[in-house]
Amino acid sequence: MAGPRSAIAHRVVADARTRALSFSALFFAVVWANAAGYKSTYPRPEDRVKLVANFADNKAARMLYGAGHDLVTVGGYTAWRAGGLLAVFAGLFGIFAATRAMRTEEDAGRSELVLAGAVTRTGAFVASLTGIAVTLAGLWVATTLAALAGGLPLRGSCFFGLVLLAVAAVYVAVAAVTNQVFPTRRGALGAAALVLGIDFLLRIVADTTDHFFVHWFTPLGWAEEMRAFSGSHAIVVVLPVVSTFVLVTDAGILHARRDLGGAYVAPRDSATAHTRLLSSPFALAVRLDRITIISWVLSIAAFALVIGTVAKSVEQLDLPQSLRDQITKLGGIDITRAKGYVGLTFVIFVFAIGLFVCGQLAAARDEETTHRLETLFALPYGRERWLQGRVVVIVAGTAACAMTAGAGVGLGVLVTHGHMTFAQGLEAGVNVLPIELLFIGAGVLFLAFAPRLGIGLLYGLVVLGFVWELFGALLSFPSWLLDVSPYHHLAPSPAKPIAVAPALVMMAIAAVTTIVGAARFRHRDLAGD
């Protein structure tokens, strides 16, 4: 039995390698940048005390990062800034990992083939969890190494990695349960994401009010209470460990008692027909992806509003010269003005929307791997028309996310009376579009010439480009080396005007790669998984 179970675990790890490497690179970059940046930017204790007094206790900052502890130390600051943000990403990683390894495999029919061999349902379930555990270990290693690279102690670095690992493990267990309860991948993902969203909202309530007891009922709250680098509370680890064990056990029981492909929430066998978005494959793509796009837009809107409100708080800071020197490396803008802070932080939205593009192109690729395109192209519906429809949906969703980000930060600054207009916020949103179009064109080209590797290559471009720009700026790489990253050609709008020439070049490259990719896709064979 060890052979089949090992093969299943290996399959889970191999299938998740692109996502795991991308998240690991992100975790390493964010942790290292915060640790190394804080140490070099605030070398004097009096500067750190001033930061804590002016910024860290601001409620808008608490909404984004949570409540910090011992922020005058490099470790305490890193656990607050990096940990507060990455805990949410850890939860998302856990949800994606479990859903991909469980419900997606059933939906694709591969689980039936696996269970036809010499392996039991329980054995396959345990093997899938083993593979997921290996990918989670990768996040722990990346976080620990990043903290060590930032000059933090070994013991605290390992514990900080454990904090984020605990959050990811809990949400693997949550998603394992939702994958048994709901009959589709979308339903399972949506239910688990809803739990994470409620968790985040409860963390905001706890951190912006005096109701800190709420922390003890949520995984994100447990991550804060573990207090990495600031009097670590190792006993709190018991809560996510017990919760993970209970939820995984429940998921295993539910999995063993249901039919393969079934669920405890029965699918709707009949409903009032809504055929408005069934007139063509393009309309069907809109119908299938509209919930995903709306979810992304709403999430970006909420995050952008928080960034906009934080921008006003930054205007009140008395920044040390060391920080001003670091900012010069990242574009030479004045973050004591709201538009400067927005220009500096908007790269986060560029990265997030880039991940949205990757997800949308992955959905298009799924239509090929699940053989739906074979049936479609047997009908009088050409390949060009299908690909054009898919690209239009992705471009429209990308534009909606970008403009929502701009409108959100503009509104946040406006209501807090910061020194930036709403129109300048929209300008920041427009500034995002050229690089995202570049990612879309690159993705089409990758999928056309290397369909099995295309999504991985696109994730690599988006994630590694972001990491390269972050590391290169902080380490003062020469400009010709920084030019390798497409992020480096993006102006920090609205602090500076949109860089028209690089924007036109990126859009031209996007057009050429899309056209070349479409021409190649028209003639190549359809490729399976």
Side-chain angles (χ1 to χ4, degrees):
M1 290 297 181
R5 286 200 292 266
S6 177
I8 294 171
H10 184 271
R11 157 74 185 181
V12 171
V13 175
D15 189 52
R17 64 185 181 276
T18 299
R19 179 179 60 252
L21 289 174
S22 298
F23 272 79
S24 295
L26 174 64
F27 277 46
F28 187 95
V30 172
V31 172
W32 177 85
N34 276 278
Y38 185 69
K39 183 183 296 183
S40 61
T41 304
Y42 298 95
R44 300 184 304 172
E46 54 268 30
D47 291 334
R48 298 178 182 182
V49 171
K50 186 181 298 184
L51 173 71
V52 174
N54 292 337
F55 183 66
D57 288 334
N58 182 275
K59 287 192 175 182
R62 284 180 169 230
M63 289 175 63
L64 190 59
Y65 305 115
H69 304 281
D70 202 12
L71 299 182
V72 294
T73 65
V74 177
Y77 177 85
T78 302
W80 175 59
R81 280 292 298 270
L85 185 63
L86 292 180
V88 179
F89 278 90
L92 287 172
F93 181 85
I95 291 171
F96 291 146
T99 303
R100 175 69 184 180
M102 296 178 185
R103 179 53 66 177
T104 301
E105 291 295 295
E106 287 193 43
D107 288 350
R110 288 187 287 267
S111 294
E112 296 179 10
L113 296 176
V114 169
L115 294 177
V119 62
T120 64
R121 293 188 63 178
T122 300
F125 181 76
V126 172
S128 296
L129 289 175
T130 302
I132 295 171
V134 172
T135 63
L136 294 188
L139 293 185
W140 176 80
V141 170
T143 303
T144 301
L145 291 179
L148 290 172
L152 295 172
L154 175 61
R155 182 175 179 180
S157 298
C158 293
F159 186 71
F160 183 43
L162 180 62
V163 170
L164 298 179
L165 175 65
V167 176
V170 170
Y171 278 99
V172 165
V174 169
V177 172
T178 61
N179 277 281
Q180 315 311 318
V181 174
F182 293 92
T184 65
R185 172 180 173 272
R186 291 176 183 270
L189 271 176
L194 179 61
V195 175
L196 179 59
I198 293 173
D199 187 356
F200 184 66
L201 290 176
L202 290 175
R203 193 189 79 174
I204 290 176
V205 170
D207 291 331
T208 57
T209 66
D210 294 329
H211 299 87
F212 284 104
F213 70 91
V214 176
H215 274 168
W216 298 104
F217 298 96
T218 66
L220 295 180
W222 298 335
E224 279 192 24
E225 294 299 335
M226 289 184 204
R227 302 192 182 186
F229 301 112
S230 53
S232 302
H233 294 170
I235 189 65
V236 182
V237 177
V238 173
L239 294 174
V241 168
V242 171
S243 298
T244 301
F245 176 78
V246 171
L247 289 171
V248 166
T249 301
D250 290 342
I253 294 172
L254 293 173
H255 177 74
R257 292 180 178 178
R258 67 174 174 85
D259 292 334
L260 188 64
Y264 291 90
V265 173
R268 297 172 63 183
D269 295 327
S270 61
T272 303
H274 297 284
T275 60
R276 218 169 16 177
L277 291 176
L278 293 176
S279 58
S280 67
F282 167 71
L284 178 60
V286 174
R287 178 179 178 133
L288 293 176
D289 293 341
R290 69 187 190 279
I291 301 300
T292 300
I293 294 173
I294 291 172
S295 299
W296 270 90
V297 168
L298 292 177
S299 299
I300 286 175
F303 186 66
L305 190 62
V306 173
I307 291 292
T309 57
V310 171
K312 171 61 178 177
S313 302
V314 173
E315 289 187 335
Q316 302 168 357
L317 294 179
D318 180 16
L319 300 178
Q321 186 59 43
S322 55
L323 177 57
R324 297 179 188 273
D325 294 339
Q326 292 294 331
I327 296 301
T328 300
K329 297 180 182 180
L330 296 173
I333 56 180
D334 182 9
I335 68 165
T336 59
R337 308 286 288 183
K339 63 181 181 180
Y341 179 76
V342 170
L344 179 65
T345 58
F346 220 80
V347 68
I348 298 174
F349 293 103
V350 179
F351 175 69
I353 298 171
L355 294 180
F356 167 80
V357 169
C358 293
Q360 288 296 294
L361 284 167
R365 167 66 179 154
D366 282 344
E367 292 199 35
E368 184 174 4
T369 59
T370 54
H371 307 294
R372 294 198 296 271
L373 290 187
E374 295 180 7
T375 303
L376 176 64
F377 294 154
L379 302 173
Y381 195 93
R383 292 189 178 205
E384 287 186 354
R385 189 178 171 191
W386 173 81
L387 184 59
Q388 288 170 359
R390 267 296 182 179
V391 170
V392 168
V393 171
I394 297 171
V395 170
T398 300
C401 290
M403 297 313 298
T404 298
V409 295
L411 182 61
V413 175
L414 184 66
V415 298
T416 55
H417 307 291
H419 294 84
M420 189 183 88
T421 65
F422 183 77
Q424 287 175 322
L426 295 179
E427 179 186 337
V430 172
N431 188 47
V432 171
L433 294 177
I435 190 172
E436 302 302 348
L437 293 175
L438 176 68
F439 291 149
I440 293 172
V444 173
L445 188 71
F446 293 155
L447 288 177
F449 283 89
R452 290 182 173 86
L453 301 175
I455 297 302
L457 293 173
L458 182 58
Y459 269 109
L461 176 63
V462 172
V463 176
L464 296 181
F466 174 74
V467 173
W468 188 258
E469 173 65 13
L470 182 62
F471 274 63
L474 292 175
L475 296 177
S476 301
F477 285 178
S479 59
W480 64 268
L481 201 55
L482 288 173
D483 286 340
V484 173
S485 170
Y487 292 85
H488 190 63
H489 302 282
L490 198 67
S493 178
K496 290 186 177 181
I498 295 175
V500 177
L504 291 176
V505 170
M506 285 191 281
M507 288 191 291
I509 294 174
V512 171
T513 52
T514 301
I515 292 171
V516 172
R520 169 62 180 167
F521 178 72
R522 186 167 60 247
H523 298 292
R524 74 164 172 81
D525 293 335
L526 294 179
D529 194 7

